[in-house]
Amino acid sequence: MTIREKTEEQELKFFSPYASYSRYSRGRDLEEVPCDIRTEYQRDRDRILHSKSFRRMKQKTQVFLIPEGDHYRTRLTHTLEVAQLARTIAKALRLNEDLADAIALGHDLGHTPFGHAGERALNEVCQDGFRHYEQSVRVVEVLEKKGKGLNLTWEVRDGIRNHRTAGKPHTLEGQIVRYCDKIAYINHDIDDAERAGILTEEDIPEECRQMIGNTTRQRLNTLIHDVVVNSEDRDHISMSEDMEHMMAELRAFMFRRVYHNKIAKREEDKAVKLIQDLFHFYQEHPDLLPVGYHLLREERGESLERVVCDYIAGMTDSFAINKYKELFIPKSWHM
């Protein structure tokens, strides 16, 4: 019996009956020989972790565009925080930690530079629209490994596709990530906003502070405990009605005070213009796209608009800015 098979046996003995067992995964689009050490979901986690798209998230905006300071979150640190919360909840509920981890690590791979401002910019100019959760799936199915994709399991791709608020993941592990995404970004965005001087703890509604907590640590502890207590030995993941309502109130507060804050977001209009100018430029000059995107058009019949979106969405903040300077800002003349 291989190490993987022993691990699968342990899952069957220990996991909740509502868990996603590695042995019974719905599999991959292209069948592969199983690993003798790792389960299917462990392999998926490793493939995401070692992908180029994952590494690029370290230079993609979470909330504050290109912040000056080492302690503000990026898209990568957000992803790692979501993954840690998801593992904690999955372990407490005897669900598949590796599946939750893989979904969490992959859920934002398709995010644009400049966060939701970049997503909005592409959505406005693309005829078919642009949504980061769909792009994340496209990254793992098509764009990684020079157009071959990562060939992930169905369960991981389903969790990535459905991590948004309106999503409906088919696995409990995917449902955990859906909650953890909101729990993580609300709390770490409060922390970053306080660091930026946009908020203080006292600005947070009193009702929220009394029920959820007065610090990031307290709030995370309260929300995680609520998910675990209300999901234990059940066939779905949920929060108590009161806590869900209070988290929604906190999220609405963040939209009013931070996500739509004119000071915090004063550079976003520039970011939107930058992204859209790049989009229109490559629509007019497709010959300047990297060779891999030409292959997508030739071998898969992808539209020019789609591959231009792929290229821009994959850029980091700094790469997009430098590319804009290269294409649109005159250089000083010299011999």
Side-chain angles (χ1 to χ4, degrees), residues 55-61 74 315-319:
R55 295 195 293 276
R56 288 198 298 267
M57 289 194 293
K58 68 182 177 181
Q59 291 187 18
K60 289 193 176 189
T61 291
T74 64
M315 294 179 178
T316 62
D317 294 6
S318 57
F319 185 88

Side-chain angles (χ1 to χ4, degrees), residues 123-179:
N123 190 50
E124 288 174 357
V125 294
C126 293
Q127 185 175 356
D128 296 331
F130 182 92
R131 289 159 288 274
H132 80 273
Y133 52 89
E134 293 178 350
Q135 187 68 14
S136 294
V137 176
R138 182 168 168 79
V139 166
V140 300
E141 288 186 341
V142 177
L143 300 180
E144 273 291 334
K145 295 185 68 175
K146 300 180 179 179
K148 296 179 181 178
L150 300 179
N151 196 30
L152 303 182
T153 58
W154 181 90
E155 291 81 5
V156 172
R157 288 177 288 141
D158 173 76
I160 291 172
R161 180 178 286 108
N162 288 292
H163 78 269
R164 67 197 188 282
T165 300
K168 295 181 179 180
H170 289 77
T171 66
L172 269 63
E173 292 81 2
Q175 293 174 32
I176 287 174
V177 173
R178 178 177 168 274
Y179 271 106

Side-chain angles (χ1 to χ4, degrees), residues 43 85 103 107 133 160 169-170 202 248 262 280 294 301 325:
R43 295 180 83 185
L85 296 181
I103 295 169
H107 82 280
Y133 52 89
I160 291 172
H170 289 77
E202 290 69 33
K262 291 182 179 179
H280 294 307
H294 294 291
K325 289 179 181 177

Side-chain angles (χ1 to χ4, degrees), residues 70-265:
D70 294 333
H71 297 146
Y72 290 97
R73 270 75 171 189
T74 64
R75 188 62 57 181
L76 179 60
T77 52
H78 160 71
T79 293
L80 295 175
E81 291 181 26
V82 174
Q84 184 56 48
L85 296 181
R87 289 194 70 96
T88 297
I89 294 174
K91 187 167 187 174
L93 296 176
R94 293 185 298 118
L95 300 176
N96 198 314
E97 293 176 60
D98 296 321
L99 174 56
D101 200 17
I103 295 169
L105 292 174
H107 82 280
D108 270 354
L109 290 176
H111 244 300
T112 60
F114 311 119
H116 288 285
E119 180 176 20
R120 185 173 72 252
L122 286 182
N123 190 50
E124 288 174 357
V125 294
C126 293
Q127 185 175 356
D128 296 331
F130 182 92
R131 289 159 288 274
H132 80 273
Y133 52 89
E134 293 178 350
Q135 187 68 14
S136 294
V137 176
R138 182 168 168 79
V139 166
V140 300
E141 288 186 341
V142 177
L143 300 180
E144 273 291 334
K145 295 185 68 175
K146 300 180 179 179
K148 296 179 181 178
L150 300 179
N151 196 30
L152 303 182
T153 58
W154 181 90
E155 291 81 5
V156 172
R157 288 177 288 141
D158 173 76
I160 291 172
R161 180 178 286 108
N162 288 292
H163 78 269
R164 67 197 188 282
T165 300
K168 295 181 179 180
H170 289 77
T171 66
L172 269 63
E173 292 81 2
Q175 293 174 32
I176 287 174
V177 173
R178 178 177 168 274
Y179 271 106
C180 288
D181 185 32
K182 290 194 289 292
I183 291 172
Y185 76 65
I186 289 171
N187 283 284
H188 64 49
D189 291 352
I190 290 174
D191 187 38
D192 281 357
E194 290 177 356
R195 179 173 291 106
I198 294 171
L199 301 173
T200 66
E201 280 292 328
E202 290 69 33
D203 293 325
I204 299 171
E206 177 67 21
E207 187 180 13
C208 292
R209 286 188 283 134
Q210 287 183 356
M211 186 169 183
I212 305 180
N214 293 298
T215 65
T216 299
R217 179 180 178 180
Q218 290 176 0
R219 285 188 289 269
L220 288 173
N221 190 58
T222 299
L223 293 168
I224 290 169
H225 272 78
D226 190 84
V227 172
V228 170
V229 168
N230 285 277
S231 305
E232 191 171 15
D233 297 323
R234 296 186 180 180
D235 64 355
H236 62 282
I237 304 299
S238 64
M239 300 180 80
S240 64
E241 187 175 338
D242 289 345
M243 195 63 69
E244 187 121 35
H245 171 73
M246 198 53 59
M247 191 166 76
E249 288 293 311
L250 191 56
R251 184 171 180 266
F253 164 77
M254 289 297 290
F255 269 94
R256 293 193 304 271
R257 291 295 302 271
V258 179
Y259 304 142
H260 294 161
N261 183 289
K262 291 182 179 179
I263 296 175
K265 298 298 186 178

Side-chain angles (χ1 to χ4, degrees), residues 284-301:
E284 296 171 5
H285 303 88
D287 54 303
L288 295 180
L289 287 167
V291 63
Y293 297 93
H294 294 291
L295 292 177
L296 283 174
R297 296 187 67 196
E298 294 167 6
E299 296 177 1
R300 295 180 56 92

